[in-house]
Amino acid sequence: MSFPSQAEEQALHERVLKKNESLASQDVFRVFMAPITRVLCRNRRKTKEEAHDAVCDVLMEYLENPERYLAHKSKLSSYLTRNAEMQVRDMYRSQEARQRREREFGEAIELRATAPNRSLEIIVEARHLVGQLEQAIQEQDRAALGLILQGERSTDALAKAMNLPQLSEKELRREVKRNRDRLMKTLGRIGKEE
Amino acid sequence: MSNPDWLERAALRAQRASWTLAYTLERYRQLEDRTEAELARDLGCTREVLYWLCLCRKPEGPDFDTQVTAITERHEVDLRALVDVIRHVEIVDALSERVADSNGEERPIQMAARDRVPGEKTSP
């Protein structure tokens, strides 16, 4: 099925503009649906269903606002086909964006997730290590170690957790470093033993 | 002539626009709890004809009669039943709007003749 002549298109457009002829919208579908779908399938390599959805949306948009089509600028069929091509492109872009979002989300999950058999081993190892740490590290050092493992770098915060007395800034920094090194050395030793 | 493969899909998409007959028919189907097949039977037509009707602009205004007649001349459909369906939805929507306007929110409306089938004759 091919596009109608310009005179036929114009006559149909005038019927649509009046908005008082119920069958005019049905005729727009009868006249344009098949040829525009064919153009989309050929030029854009879309499936028939994708093309149908795009053409439907464009025809509905035209029927709702027929005055947007300016007859002196182009043929109605050209106007509708161009809009349908843009609609297909928009649909393709939003589909691609959705797929990219889903892929990125999937990759993030994949990176963070642990294989089911491995997670059980990790739980056992962690429990064993905690037992070792409790034995190797004294009660007063545990708070400081907790902060260090959480990435705390503030001298004051670490000094408080280490129960250091009032010292000058320079001495406090040196004491915090000394205690920190000692704890890290202990951790390193436990790690080597394992 | 066989029906095109896009017909059902287009009819479904047309339901989104309130100016279409598709919107009115779908609204009626929901209000009256009818299946598509039942609605087609009420209108005295096939499902395919029902899909074609969906692509029409809803008849309204001073040319209402002319528009409905034109539809029934092209498609085999019961004119009286089609008018009943359109009017039924118009009345329910108008009442819903009035209730919504006076109360600020929509309330379900009790329809006295809800169980009447479109086109069915009523005793005077």
Side-chain angles (χ1 to χ4, degrees), chain B residues 35-47 50:
Chain B
T35 63
E36 241 176 49
E38 284 169 339
L39 176 59
R41 206 168 45 240
D42 290 347
L43 293 170
C45 65
T46 62
R47 274 168 93 152
L50 191 68

Side-chain angles (χ1 to χ4, degrees), chain A:
Chain A
M1 197 178 166
S2 56
F3 289 113
S5 69
Q6 192 158 2
E8 286 167 329
E9 285 187 359
Q10 191 54 34
L12 183 54
H13 176 59
E14 275 158 26
R15 285 172 60 205
V16 171
L17 274 176
K18 284 183 196 158
K19 294 190 176 178
N20 67 349
E21 203 192 316
S22 293
L23 291 168
S25 57
Q26 192 193 82
D27 288 340
V28 166
F29 275 90
R30 283 181 190 271
V31 167
F32 292 111
M33 196 72 190
I36 300 179
T37 300
R38 210 175 38 247
V39 171
L40 294 188
C41 289
R42 193 182 56 219
N43 295 357
R44 299 253 158 208
R45 293 184 187 166
K46 292 283 129 190
T47 64
K48 242 184 173 183
E49 286 71 26
E50 287 171 324
H52 284 159
D53 286 348
V55 183
C56 269
D57 288 350
V58 164
L59 295 185
M60 292 297 292
E61 171 65 26
Y62 160 67
L63 290 165
E64 195 150 358
N65 305 292
E67 58 286 341
R68 285 188 191 159
Y69 161 63
L70 303 171
H72 63 275
K73 283 197 169 176
S74 64
K75 276 183 74 182
L76 181 57
S77 52
S78 310
Y79 169 78
L80 294 172
T81 306
R82 199 172 49 244
N83 285 358
E85 286 185 320
M86 286 194 289
Q87 177 77 4
V88 162
R89 206 171 46 216
D90 288 349
M91 281 163 69
Y92 176 72
R93 278 182 186 160
S94 61
Q95 193 181 347
E96 211 178 32
R98 194 181 62 241
Q99 280 172 351
R100 195 179 52 242
R101 276 198 305 275
E102 284 171 1
R103 199 171 48 240
E104 283 168 3
F105 181 71
E107 280 168 4
I109 292 288
E110 222 168 77
L111 281 175
R112 284 172 196 168
T114 316
N117 59 341
R118 181 75 189 120
S119 67
L120 190 65
E121 284 172 27
I122 290 171
I123 291 170
V124 174
E125 280 172 19
R127 211 168 269 172
H128 177 67
L129 274 173
V130 169
Q132 291 251 337
L133 278 173
E134 277 175 353
Q135 281 177 1
I137 294 172
Q138 293 169 349
E139 189 89 35
Q140 71 247 32
D141 287 336
R142 283 182 200 161
L145 182 64
L147 283 180
I148 292 167
L149 292 177
Q150 284 171 51
E152 180 60 71
R153 299 180 66 85
S154 155
T155 304
D156 288 339
L158 290 172
K160 203 172 166 188
M162 288 167 184
N163 268 330
L164 294 178
Q166 281 286 84
L167 296 165
S168 69
E169 199 186 324
K170 197 176 166 188
E171 285 171 328
L172 199 64
R173 204 173 296 145
R174 196 178 56 229
E175 276 305 294
V176 166
K177 187 179 180 312
R178 193 180 61 76
N179 276 299
R180 192 177 185 282
D181 291 347
R182 180 176 55 81
L183 287 170
M184 295 310 284
K185 210 169 173 182
T186 311
L187 278 183
R189 199 178 61 241
I190 294 169
K192 264 184 201 164
E193 283 170 8
E194 286 302 305

